[in-house]
Amino acid sequence: MARKIPELNASSMADIAFLLLIFFLVTTTMDVDTGISRRLPPPLDPTQEPPKVKERNIFNVLISRSDRLMVEGKGGDIRILKDQAKEFLANRANSENLPEKRLETIPLLGEFYVSKGIISVKNDRGTSYDMYIQVQNALTQAINELRDELSMEKFGIHFQKLKDEEYIKAIQKAIPVSISEAEPEDIGGN
Amino acid sequence: MRETTLFVKIAQPYATEVQKLEKKSLVSYIYIGQPLNKKLGTESRIQLNDRFATVNDIPDFIISERDARDEVDRKMITTSLKVDKETKMGVVTDVKQELRHAGAFKINYSTRKQVTTKR
């Protein structure tokens, strides 16, 4: 006599499989790498004199070993650093003590006054990386906002939304990332 | 989904102006942070691939990373610095100096996106 094979109710199998699938879809995180991009300058040529830059064209940012800011010789605050940097780079009123501008012809934009301003960042060996990133972030934000404003004015579209490589290049040329980092040296012990 | 096991603590700082890193195959990583193993002290250490290293190992690391890529891609290599936020800038500056001398100019300070409410 053939024995009856006990039947297994598998009707909910699909539901369970789906539930598991959804669960892992939700809980797995793909590590997306994000960060602030920078370009390091090539090593200094010891035989070459560093180029002379006028005082009005430099925006000094100093971060002390205790993470305190010194902006243009005065005590600074990370919250207003972005606006200070924007004001410096834009120099809308063509003020005497803010940076000079150089007339350049840029494709798609025509003649444009490019600021000669350079932001100089200097930090101590004891500065925390967190503070350093906050400062870099504020300065990047200043540049990004200026680019965005220019893009809105000229093309009527946000800089982030620009697709055409040519347009992006034009804006980048009009407002370059002019952040210079001082050659490392100890300022105030270890 | 990480290729290397971390030996150092990496709590990345937050920033608002972050960009996505394109082409992961062209990115090499340098990790800097306190060792996870408490016996090794609290001094920030550099990790390259899957071992501890010193600043002097960086040129060799860059060369080997370059050799691993196709010749056409070599100029496009980005070095991603994954640094713990409590690290002192001294180590980071040393690493950056070495990268400059090794000719790896494209760098990326790895930060996490800070969610801000739009005004």
Side-chain angles (χ1 to χ4, degrees), chain A residues 80-126:
Chain A
I80 57 166
L81 180 65
K82 182 201 84 188
D83 293 319
Q84 286 176 315
K86 266 180 87 175
E87 193 188 326
F88 168 83
L89 286 175
N91 188 12
R92 295 200 200 280
N94 285 316
S95 158
E96 279 283 306
N97 37 25
L98 290 177
E100 304 165 287
K101 293 171 181 180
R102 175 178 56 224
L103 190 64
E104 270 189 40
T105 317
I106 297 170
L108 293 166
L109 291 174
E111 295 201 321
F112 187 83
Y113 286 98
V114 179
S115 174
K116 281 191 187 174
I118 296 170
I119 298 171
S120 159
V121 183
K122 200 168 187 178
N123 60 269
D124 188 78
R125 289 188 70 86

Side-chain angles (χ1 to χ4, degrees), chain A residues 18-41:
Chain A
F18 255 117
L19 227 72
L20 281 175
L21 181 73
I22 304 287
F23 176 75
F24 282 109
L25 266 184
V26 171
T27 52
T28 324
T29 46
M30 280 277 268
D31 223 16
V32 183
D33 266 327
T34 51
I36 301 173
S37 290
R38 279 282 177 281
R39 231 194 140 72
L40 293 174

